[in-house]
Amino acid sequence: MDYLYLAVCVSCLSGGYIVSGLYGKRCARPDPFVNTVFKAATVALFFWAYNGFRFAFDKTTVLLSAGFALAYLISGACAILALKYGEVSLTSLLISYSLLLPACFGIFFLGDSVGYFFYAGLALLVISIFLINRGRRAPLPAERGMSVAAERGTPAKPARKAPVLWAVFAVSALVTNGACSILQSYQQRLSGGGFKAEFMIFAMLAVIAVDLAVILSARRTRLKEKAKYGAPFGIAAGILNAAVNLTVMLLVSAERLPVSIIFLLIAAGSLLVTYILSRIVFKEKLSFWQNAGFALGIFSVVFFNL
């Protein structure tokens, strides 16, 4: 059953990258806050239904859930912006390294043991990131994706690749996404596998409240249009994200696999699936060094699991 959960988690995590990539590239004015409202609402409804439409209060769960909500907000917004300014496969590679953070948490705080393969994987990881950055080309107009304006018959001004912006947003998404996984794992260990739904429901309600406050205070233009085009992507991403979070909590609470192994298996699997899907869906063509760096990135997370 654990490996079935892992397969579902990997598939949904990869699917989430593709959905976010489609939203960032096909919408003329992608709005992370509008998108996240629909995504968070979908996740909250999913877990409320999973819990039989019940909710139990637990102080520790609420506190950890609040931290999760903050990290989730930052991670979601930065991931969409990173996918807008860079390739889906490379963005997903860097963000997937966030799963090394909860793996390290399991090693240093939960007592998971490591061997020489761990350090070999770490070396490959450093080389992988170097090669990926070495192979990045200068900013070019986006060649793919039809914008909202184009769909209406009005050519949209193409977005440009921005390596610096991509790096800032991708690294921010990496750190905050890792924080989400650490808080989630820690809550499940403290509660003995309890309050799964409550943890996610409270976090998503906090995310919705903050997003709505930002949206209303900023006086966003074309809000109805953004909601219309953002809703399908947000709902789809929410369903996939809910499945990822549920399977992760089920795996962690079962305690049959070490936390470090769980997240590294998820990382390795999602990298491979996302790489394949991004080549098929977005027709992305990477340089020799980028492909080499990506291959080493996959090998690095595999080494972490040996």
Side-chain angles (χ1 to χ4, degrees), residues 103-266:
C104 291
F105 177 77
I107 293 168
F108 296 112
F109 293 95
L110 300 180
D112 294 347
S113 60
V114 296
Y116 293 111
F117 284 112
F118 176 86
Y119 299 103
L122 183 60
L124 288 176
L125 174 59
V126 173
I127 298 171
S128 169
I129 294 174
F130 171 78
L131 291 177
I132 288 170
N133 283 281
R134 183 181 187 277
R136 290 191 65 80
R137 59 178 181 263
L140 293 173
E143 300 174 348
R144 300 171 300 278
M146 182 166 39
S147 68
V148 173
E151 290 173 357
R152 294 183 172 185
T154 305
K157 186 177 181 180
R160 294 182 66 85
K161 301 291 183 184
V164 174
L165 287 176
W166 172 81
V168 170
F169 290 129
V171 171
S172 298
L174 182 158
V175 174
T176 50
N177 195 53
C180 284
S181 297
I182 289 172
L183 290 167
Q184 191 177 58
S185 301
Y186 189 53
Q187 184 274 333
Q188 282 295 284
R189 285 296 180 94
L190 286 179
S191 65
F195 304 106
K196 293 180 179 67
E198 287 80 1
F199 179 86
M200 292 302 303
I201 292 170
F202 184 83
M204 293 303 101
L205 290 178
V207 168
I208 293 169
V210 172
D211 274 335
L212 288 176
V214 172
I215 290 169
L216 296 175
S217 64
R219 298 181 181 178
R220 275 168 162 68
T221 58
R222 298 186 177 182
L223 186 56
K224 290 184 179 179
E225 181 181 288
K226 291 178 180 178
K228 176 183 177 181
Y229 286 98
F233 292 101
I235 293 171
I239 294 172
L240 293 168
N241 187 257
V244 169
N245 281 285
L246 178 59
T247 51
V248 166
M249 287 192 286
L250 289 171
L251 286 165
V252 171
S253 62
E255 298 188 29
R256 287 186 290 267
L257 293 172
V259 170
S260 56
I261 299 301
I262 290 171
F263 285 103
L264 293 172
L265 284 173
I266 293 171

